[in-house]
Amino acid sequence: MVRLILGRAGSGKTARLLNLVKKRAESGKTGQIFLVPEQFSLNAERALCRVCGNGISLSAEVMTFKSLATRVFDELGGGIAAMLDDGGRLLTMYAAVSNIRSRLRVYGGAVLRPEFLQKLLALTDELKAYNVAPEDLLVLEGTGGALPDKLYDVACISGAYDALMTAELKDPADRMKALCRALDGSGYFRGRSVCVDGFNGFTGAELSVLSKIIQEADDLDIALCADGVTDEDRGAGVFSHVKKTVAALQKLCARLGVACETDTASIPCKRFARPDGDLAAVERGLFDYTCEPRAAETDGSVALYEAESLYTECEAAAARAKALIAQGLRLREIAVVTRDMESYGRTAEAVFRKYGLPVFLDQRSDAAQKLPVRLLCAALDIAANGCSLNRMLRLVKTGLAGVSPAEADELERYALMWNLNGAVWLAEPGFTANPAGYGAPMDDDARNALDHINELRRRAAAPLSRLIERSRGKTARQRAAALYAYAEELDLAGALEARARLLEAGNPRAGAEYVQLWELLCRCLDQCVLILGETTLGDAEFAELFRLLVTQYNVGAIPTGADVIAIGDAARMRADHPRAV
């Protein structure tokens, strides 16, 4: 039996599912599954324990599609030894297109460009999400025009990419397909009840998994955020996408011969303190352009502020949070939401800390922007393209290339004074111009200053020269080993550990991110060796691949306390029952 529970946000759909789980557990039902999206799993576990009690873990468990796959593989087999991460997938795609580049009709000239590789990965994910095999793309072959040739290229690339997968390494996009194979004929869901919550839609691969549940489970209850079944807005409404999901589920049930019942909640929204207040009116009418205007009187539940700048805007939010806390709200009951974390995140964090308000920034940082990663990328750029002034300054100003930040400033002043480019950075005798400037006498003080500047240059240049020598005309394995040796010679691991300890006192988030960087860099080099191995790469080619590889990773931190204000992006953040937003 499949039941679709529909309703607007806050109409009690989740509460209804949780009460169903509780009622079934009290009747002795075990093995229940509460299936939610990845970002909702922690809040779902809290809600399950809050409604059903701590003992509910004996009868029910919160899962995601990913954790469900892991559980099934552990119990039934058919799993995958290791999944490629985003960096590994990028390198695998590079290897795949390198093998079949000569066969491509349209994309042969652009296929090795790193940015194009990312687009190919996104396209491959989309195809696998909807169970489209490479051979399915050849249906227009022989019909003429540009489209069949493009589809042929995509089919070749997708097939070559899949062919590189081994028993030990698999694409995570194949996880749902592997899960369906493991579930075939297993009866894994027989006798179970499954509740599904928090989804707006399902991919074709996820629908394949749901079809297994529909055929075997005693009950399948799915909560979806929609105000009804019929899409009267013809695809242009707020709930149109979800209503397409409803129609797809009904069609799936009809195909499998399983009854599908639809229950639309008609009760007012329970989420707001005042069901007829301003906030509830905004929820009902924000995207309803036929809604009657509300009277001018307000209850204070919605407030609009106009600020002169981003910083002033964050100050207004912090002042409001301070006032709410004085009225008795807990920090964790306040959420700060933005659509632009890149612009607002760091400023909001600084302003809230200025007001003495502990915050957790729900944002992951791009690893490529961290100093250790910039150091290695700069070193590879120099090995590939030579010692230009800007490249060398980019290297030494990381403070990790053998000279401290203060010493890097000395080098920068001297190099900018004489516009130093080329081999003079690496070859002896090195710098010879007077540190005092053009026309100044080369006295003892000037010679001592020049010796000091050259000593700084040697400390940065010696490891770099050895990296260049070890990397010249080598395979991916040898280049990765050379880059690791360069990092070891600079004691990069020790420098990261020291910097993390230094940051922990004033900026715990930044300290936690630096702790992760050495392991991340080692993982990048391991991926190069594992996937590209004996592939011969040019200097510029390896430098560009490594640069793009590290952009596939990011670093983050978990909250340092339970009672903090969460600041996050509206598309990513999942606040747990906030009382003020």
Side-chain angles (χ1 to χ4, degrees):
M1 173 67 181
V2 177
R3 185 183 298 106
L4 305 181
I5 303 172
L6 310 180
R8 299 177 73 98
S11 59
K13 303 182 298 297
T14 299
R16 182 168 172 180
L17 290 181
L18 293 172
N19 285 321
L20 273 174
V21 173
K22 181 179 180 181
K23 182 178 178 181
R24 289 165 180 163
E26 289 172 346
S27 67
K29 188 83 170 180
T30 59
Q32 297 184 73
I33 295 174
F34 199 84
L35 193 62
V36 297
E38 292 281 342
Q39 68 269 31
F40 192 58
S41 58
L42 177 60
N43 287 342
E45 288 174 350
R46 287 175 175 171
L48 193 64
C49 290
R50 184 171 58 244
V51 172
C52 305
N54 295 335
I56 192 61
S57 58
L58 299 173
S59 304
E61 185 175 4
V62 173
M63 286 188 179
T64 65
F65 277 108
K66 181 178 177 180
S67 62
L68 174 63
T70 302
R71 176 64 57 81
V72 170
F73 295 154
D74 288 345
E75 295 184 13
L76 302 180
I80 299 169
M83 292 282 188
L84 289 169
D85 60 15
D86 289 342
R89 296 176 70 236
L90 182 78
L91 294 178
T92 304
M93 180 60 76
Y94 174 85
V97 297
S98 297
N99 292 339
I100 51 92
R101 183 182 179 188
S102 60
R103 294 167 46 195
L104 301 181
R105 301 172 181 173
V106 178
Y107 298 125
V111 76
L112 289 179
R113 294 177 186 169
E115 291 75 13
F116 194 73
L117 293 176
Q118 290 181 301
K119 293 180 180 179
L120 289 175
L121 280 174
L123 178 58
T124 300
D125 286 346
E126 192 78 5
L127 294 174
K128 291 185 177 184
Y130 289 92
N131 293 328
V132 179
E135 55 269 22
D136 296 334
L137 300 173
L138 301 177
V139 291
L140 297 180
E141 190 68 10
T143 59
L147 182 59
D149 287 343
K150 291 181 179 180
L151 290 176
Y152 171 83
D153 281 6
V154 173
C156 288
I157 292 168
S158 181
Y161 177 77
D162 288 341
L164 291 179
M165 298 301 156
T166 65
E168 291 76 26
L169 287 175
K170 289 290 185 182
D171 187 353
D174 292 325
R175 183 184 282 112
M176 292 298 101
K177 186 176 180 180
L179 175 59
C180 287
R181 285 199 303 267
L183 289 171
D184 279 341
S186 68
Y188 183 80
F189 295 105
R190 194 168 296 124
R192 295 178 184 266
S193 293
V194 180
C195 293
V196 181
D197 190 27
F199 291 92
N200 290 326
F202 303 97
T203 66
E206 289 170 344
L207 283 173
S208 298
V209 176
L210 286 177
S211 70
K212 307 293 183 184
I213 300 175
I214 291 171
Q215 294 175 77
E216 296 180 357
D218 290 348
D219 302 281
L220 173 61
D221 298 277
I222 304 176
L224 294 166
C225 188
D227 58 357
V229 176
T230 306
D231 186 11
E232 299 175 354
D233 298 307
R234 299 180 181 180
V238 177
F239 301 110
S240 293
H241 173 69
V242 183
K243 289 175 181 178
K244 288 181 181 178
T245 302
V246 173
L249 289 169
Q250 290 175 327
K251 183 177 179 180
L252 177 62
C253 290
R255 181 168 60 82
L256 297 174
V258 177
C260 181
E261 175 184 306
T262 303
D263 185 359
T264 304
S266 57
I267 58 174
C269 183
K270 296 180 177 181
R271 180 163 293 168
F272 308 122
R274 305 176 186 89
D276 296 322
D278 292 346
L279 193 55
V282 170
E283 186 275 333
R284 290 192 300 270
L286 182 60
F287 297 103
D288 183 357
Y289 303 108
T290 64
C291 182
E292 292 293 328
R294 187 171 172 82
E297 295 80 9
T298 67
D299 59 12
S301 59
V302 177
L304 298 177
Y305 297 89
E306 184 176 351
E308 296 178 352
S309 66
L310 186 151
Y311 189 88
T312 310
E313 190 178 346
C314 293
E315 278 195 320
R320 179 59 179 158
K322 195 90 170 175
L324 291 169
I325 292 166
Q327 295 171 17
L329 265 68
R330 301 290 298 272
L331 290 165
R332 63 171 174 261
E333 294 175 329
I334 301 172
V336 180
V337 183
T338 176
R339 277 288 187 187
D340 185 6
M341 279 296 287
E342 286 297 320
S343 301
Y344 281 86
R346 299 298 181 184
T347 303
E349 182 182 30
V351 169
F352 274 70
R353 291 192 187 280
K354 172 186 170 184
Y355 277 75
L357 300 171
V359 297
F360 167 65
L361 201 63
D362 187 15
Q363 181 185 33
R364 296 185 68 81
S365 302
D366 183 0
Q369 300 305 315
K370 299 300 180 182
L371 291 177
V373 179
R374 287 162 59 186
L375 167 78
L376 298 185
C377 288
L380 291 175
D381 192 15
I382 291 167
N385 301 301
C387 300
S388 72
L389 174 61
N390 288 336
R391 293 188 195 104
M392 289 303 300
L393 291 184
R394 196 164 72 242
L395 179 88
V396 298
K397 285 176 72 66
T398 62
L400 299 169
V403 294
S404 68
E407 292 168 334
D409 289 340
E410 294 182 58
L411 268 175
E412 180 182 25
R413 283 193 296 271
Y414 181 83
L416 288 173
M417 179 189 300
W418 294 103
N419 191 29
L420 299 172
N421 290 277
V424 67
W425 282 92
L426 302 181
E428 294 300 336
F431 302 149
T432 58
N434 193 333
Y438 182 76
M442 183 64 83
D443 54 20
D444 289 342
D445 288 341
R447 278 188 287 272
N448 290 336
L450 181 59
D451 289 342
H452 174 66
I453 291 292
N454 268 312
E455 175 59 27
L456 300 182
R457 176 193 61 82
R458 290 186 191 96
R459 279 159 46 188
L464 187 60
S465 296
R466 285 187 280 274
L467 169 66
I468 294 172
E469 184 60 32
R470 295 185 187 117
S471 301
R472 200 69 73 189
K474 302 292 185 179
T475 65
R477 180 187 302 276
Q478 292 166 326
R479 289 183 179 277
L483 192 58
Y484 181 81
Y486 176 70
E488 283 280 278
E489 188 171 354
L490 294 175
D491 191 23
L492 191 56
L496 291 179
E497 186 178 348
R499 183 159 298 205
R501 285 198 303 268
L502 188 64
L503 289 169
E504 279 174 359
N507 191 342
R509 174 186 174 84
E513 290 178 352
Y514 265 85
V515 167
Q516 304 168 47
L517 287 174
W518 178 249
E519 181 182 348
L520 185 149
L521 290 171
C522 291
R523 191 193 316 165
C524 288
L525 297 176
D526 286 343
Q527 297 278 3
C528 290
V529 173
L530 182 66
I531 296 165
L532 298 180
E534 304 308 317
T535 303
T536 301
L537 300 172
D539 293 336
E541 192 176 17
F542 182 74
E544 184 63 18
L545 265 180
F546 186 81
R547 182 195 64 78
L548 189 61
L549 175 61
V550 293
T551 63
Q552 306 303 303
Y553 299 98
N554 49 44
V555 290
I558 61 175
T560 55
D563 194 22
V564 295
I565 295 175
I567 303 175
D569 188 272
R572 166 184 165 88
M573 190 176 181
R574 291 295 182 270
D576 188 14
H577 293 86
R579 292 177 59 190
V581 178

